[in-house]
Amino acid sequence: MATAAGEIGVIGGIAAKFRTCPVTALKIDLAAERLIKANAVAAVVFLAIGGVLGLLVALTRWPAVHLLDSDTFYMVLTAHGLNVLLFWIIFFEMAILYFASAVLLNCRLAAPQFAWIAFVLMVAGALLTDFTVLQGDSSVMFTSYVPLRASPNFYLGLILFAVGALIGCMVFFGTLVVAREERTYEGSVPLVTFGAIAAAVIAVFTIASGAIILIPTWLWSLGYIGHIDTLMYKLVWWGMGHSSQQINVSAHVAVWYAIAAILLGAKPLSEKVSRTAFLFYILFLQLASAHHLLVEPGLSSEWKVFNTSYALYLAVLGSLIHGMTVPGAIEAAQRRNGYVHGMFEWLRRAPWGNPAFSGMFLSLVMFGFIGGISGVVLGTEQLNIMMHNTLYVPGHFHGTVVAGTTLAFMALTYLVLPLIFRREVMWPGLAKWQPWLFGIGAGGISLFMLGAGTLGVARRHWDITFADAILSFDYPATAFLMLGLNGIFAILATVGGALYVAITVASVLFGRPVHERNALHALGPLPQRVVESGSSAQVGRHGSEGFGHLPGTYTLVAVFFVAFALYYFVNWKYLSELWPLS
Amino acid sequence: MSDTGTSEKIPFMQRVLDNPFLLLFLGVTVPATLYLVWGLVELTQIPVAE
């Protein structure tokens, strides 16, 4: 099996250079590989920038430290949101789209030159926006609600970034056409590719919403348009702002399936069921944007309740399905790998020393227990009134985007390094601890912001003591404790994030080259049967495992449902205390 | 790579799920209608203050 570049495939009259992956046996188009590398490197750079800014935010929210002055705080908070919520994740998602199309479908990437134009536009846009924000006159937060007016280059940078991302999505869809036309796969695409299709579909809706609102706002900032309606802005902007985080959900669920397949040879329990869950995402997940408008008086209860409850619950059902089928697929694979004793030997003997597995499983657990449950609470119109625009909101999305998506992407990086960059992971001992440090840190940040939000702490206030306010107000002392703990766990997450960046950069620059003979070893600890049978190739295949003997998964799911129900009804109890009816 | 033989009749839902451009159409029009258009129509009906 060739690992060196040089195999030239001429498919459909167009030549492309391929190599064959020694682990998955997939043909890798070298043009796609270069683009995956470029987007992944850009993603890590913006994560590093956004992570440092996030630490500054957390240290300012910590009342005992209160690091930054108010102007700097709002500038840093704006830049933090943009760098991690948009730039880091969307660059990484572009890498995932190219991997899930060209690599998993064994075909050439459609129009790589357009993919490079997309990359250049995204880099230029991100740098322009960052530069503009750091000049200090565009501290309008990630949301940039009008009538707050940023410098025109703030909006222009975001538009350039979005146009680049849209071109990247078109290259992805074009590659699906190439694969089908050139018959590089039979039947249906692999489930990981299907998850990427869901992410790309949501990305197109997201970018379209962004274009609808950001282009007029840019013209408004230049003085060509006199007025932007604040409520219309808010409605359309959240079509982009919240949906951009739904791209993450689809992408990181696809990443869970990919990691389980590569490391354990896991198959989906049911292709039909998992694809239906992704279909629920495609149809309904974007509607969750409405939870940001639940207290707006201009919108009817019908619109609010339909979008956030009836329709959103179908998307939640999709997540509940994945929340069962991903651990179920892992349990089934591990039982096939020989870990059949008791209820949890499959989990106990899983490759926890492999950062790709531990990161993936921690992401799965924390996304479900923290991000998922808090999302349903926020999406319930009655409960939302208690925590709308409090720190509960960032607490929720740090559970989804940081503990969920970011940790899943970090976990995938430990496979991208040997499989795509063809470098061994440097400092494997440190790498083993990295997902735990980052995951526990991110989990703590989320939980303590959820706690502070439940106590009513405003989402974006620089100083919760209101030291310079004319009218004083005291939050409960527990809120101060929550923000102190948030700061401590932010430091922990920063250490984990810095380790991730250091390991990634060092591995790319100085890691030992990966060849055919050390390729499997470079993936880190794996079950012996996976090493012997080469079942990692499952990631590029279509086929179901079936719902067999999965007692461990059913127990975990039961624990989740109990936690979900308890927390949900505890919040109704809080609501009854907020508005006594007697 | 597939478990499905090519001679078998492909079920309707599988044909839907195998068509990325149909999914793209649905994934844009459903939220555009239910979230954006419905919401914007409601906002346009708010009386303007005199």
Side-chain angles (χ1 to χ4, degrees), chain A residues 68-227:
Chain A
L68 304 175
D69 64 80
S70 60
D71 286 347
T72 313
F73 172 76
Y74 289 118
M75 179 185 76
V76 165
L77 184 56
T78 304
H80 167 61
L82 290 163
N83 279 278
V84 287
L85 285 172
L86 282 183
F87 306 151
W88 141 248
I89 54 158
I90 293 186
F91 271 115
F92 205 95
E93 280 155 4
M94 286 298 133
I96 289 174
L97 291 187
Y98 299 145
F99 172 80
S101 55
V103 176
L104 288 186
L105 298 180
N106 277 295
C107 71
R108 64 181 171 81
L109 191 73
Q113 65 276 31
F114 279 94
W116 280 112
I117 292 171
F119 178 73
V120 170
L121 281 172
M122 288 171 70
V123 170
L127 290 177
L128 180 62
T129 303
D130 269 353
F131 180 72
T132 307
V133 170
L134 294 177
Q135 283 181 315
D137 60 350
S138 296
S139 300
V140 292
M141 308 294 104
F142 176 57
T143 44
S144 56
Y145 288 149
V146 296
L148 287 175
R149 190 194 303 253
S151 160
N153 282 342
F154 173 89
Y155 306 106
L156 179 61
L158 290 178
I159 292 166
L160 290 176
F161 183 82
V163 170
L166 185 61
I167 294 172
C169 290
M170 293 305 114
V171 171
F172 168 76
F173 282 109
T175 307
L176 298 179
V177 174
V178 168
R180 176 159 283 231
E181 291 295 311
E182 298 177 354
R183 298 178 185 281
T184 60
Y185 69 98
E186 292 173 19
S188 302
V189 297
L191 184 61
V192 175
T193 305
F194 191 79
I197 291 173
V201 168
I202 297 171
V204 172
F205 174 79
T206 300
I207 295 165
S209 302
I212 292 170
I213 202 59
L214 286 177
I215 292 174
T217 310
W218 176 50
L219 295 173
W220 168 74
S221 73
L222 286 166
Y224 293 119
I225 290 179
H227 173 71

Side-chain angles (χ1 to χ4, degrees), chain A residues 444-520:
Chain A
I445 290 171
S446 308
L447 286 172
F448 295 119
M449 281 203 280
L450 290 172
T454 306
L455 293 168
V457 176
R459 176 179 175 180
R460 284 167 171 161
H461 209 287
W462 163 68
D463 173 23
I464 71 163
T465 66
F466 298 100
D468 58 355
I470 297 169
L471 299 173
S472 65
F473 179 80
D474 293 325
Y475 282 119
T478 317
F480 289 76
L481 173 68
M482 293 283 170
L483 289 181
L485 289 168
N486 172 59
I488 291 169
F489 278 80
I491 292 171
L492 192 63
T494 305
V495 171
L499 260 182
Y500 166 77
V501 173
I503 291 167
T504 305
V505 172
S507 302
V508 169
L509 296 178
F510 309 113
R512 280 180 50 204
V514 171
H515 303 291
E516 189 174 359
R517 64 181 178 281
N518 67 342
L520 264 176

